[in-house]
Amino acid sequence: MSRPITPADLHTVQRIAAEEARRLGRSLGLPAQDRDDLLHDLLVDLLPRLPAYDPARGTLGGFARVCMRHAALRIAHQHRHRRRVARTISLNDPLPSGDGLTLADILSEADGYGSWCGQPTDRIAALERRLDLERAAGAIDPEDHPLCAALSAKTPHQLAAQGLLPRARIYRRIREMRLRLLASGIPSAA
């Protein structure tokens, strides 16, 4: 952009951003309080594009509107993708079985919060997981429990840098734990 932005230009850009945020919010079915976030997202998207504005090719308002419409399309696509991935379901949604039952009808409080959020509630799979974890815990030597706890928060390089254990010894103990787990029937995850 060859000239600085005037207060009138700024007012025009803000007005266009507010219009696009309202339009985008309505199309996505978002509450009014989320439109401020959309407005800010649109303005932030426009800022790095301003140097490409050429006054000889059109007005700043037209340039801003085109940029914000494209940004709104990207934001809408991302928002819809997140909704699809999240697969939110209502407890009042009818089950596909067609017998008139809802999700709330078949879930008990004992199933836990995860089941209310749509996570699977297969009790056999949960039992198998618990048995696998118990078998894994039994296969690991009790002297390696502190190392396992430390590795859950830090990498072997970070632990060695702290001087707790030499790096070679850490990797040797990890290799021994993997072999013990493999011998007890638990394969490596990676």
Side-chain angles (χ1 to χ4, degrees), residues 123-184:
R123 293 177 193 266
I124 301 297
L127 176 65
E128 288 174 348
R129 225 178 0 261
R130 187 175 57 100
L131 291 172
D132 286 345
L133 287 172
E134 287 176 4
R135 192 171 62 225
I140 295 175
D141 197 9
E143 74 179 32
D144 288 329
H145 290 179
L147 178 62
C148 290
L151 287 171
S152 69
K154 296 184 179 177
T155 65
H157 291 292
Q158 292 170 332
L159 289 176
Q162 288 180 341
L164 299 175
L165 288 172
R167 185 175 301 150
R169 186 164 180 216
I170 293 171
Y171 280 110
R172 187 172 37 254
R173 286 175 69 183
I174 290 172
R175 186 178 65 241
E176 290 170 3
M177 282 188 278
R178 283 183 178 155
L179 288 173
R180 276 191 236 118
L181 289 170
L182 187 60
S184 67

Side-chain angles (χ1 to χ4, degrees), residues 2-184:
S2 59
R3 65 177 180 83
I5 295 179
T6 65
D9 291 338
L10 186 58
H11 177 72
T12 301
V13 167
Q14 287 176 329
R15 182 181 47 77
I16 292 169
E19 290 171 9
E20 292 299 323
R22 268 192 310 278
R23 180 180 292 121
L24 180 58
R26 276 193 312 270
S27 73
L28 294 174
L30 297 176
Q33 61 265 24
D34 289 347
R35 292 186 188 148
D36 282 341
D37 291 337
L38 295 175
L39 174 88
H40 294 148
D41 290 344
L42 292 172
L43 288 171
V44 166
D45 186 78
L46 177 68
L47 287 176
R49 299 177 194 290
L50 281 177
Y53 168 63
D54 182 8
R57 296 182 66 193
T59 65
L60 180 60
F63 176 80
R65 188 171 300 279
V66 168
C67 289
M68 287 186 196
R69 287 249 168 108
H70 290 181
L73 288 172
R74 283 190 303 275
I75 291 169
H77 176 73
Q78 291 167 351
H79 184 78
R80 288 183 183 116
H81 177 72
R82 280 193 301 269
R83 277 186 184 167
R84 275 193 308 273
V85 170
R87 292 184 326 158
T88 36
I89 57 173
S90 170
L91 293 175
N92 298 323
D93 286 346
L95 293 174
S97 60
D99 52 10
L101 290 175
T102 65
L103 188 59
D105 294 332
I106 64 166
L107 294 177
S108 69
E109 235 178 272
D111 289 330
Y113 179 70
S115 64
W116 287 84
C117 293
Q119 294 176 350
T121 58
D122 186 1
R123 293 177 193 266
I124 301 297
L127 176 65
E128 288 174 348
R129 225 178 0 261
R130 187 175 57 100
L131 291 172
D132 286 345
L133 287 172
E134 287 176 4
R135 192 171 62 225
I140 295 175
D141 197 9
E143 74 179 32
D144 288 329
H145 290 179
L147 178 62
C148 290
L151 287 171
S152 69
K154 296 184 179 177
T155 65
H157 291 292
Q158 292 170 332
L159 289 176
Q162 288 180 341
L164 299 175
L165 288 172
R167 185 175 301 150
R169 186 164 180 216
I170 293 171
Y171 280 110
R172 187 172 37 254
R173 286 175 69 183
I174 290 172
R175 186 178 65 241
E176 290 170 3
M177 282 188 278
R178 283 183 178 155
L179 288 173
R180 276 191 236 118
L181 289 170
L182 187 60
S184 67

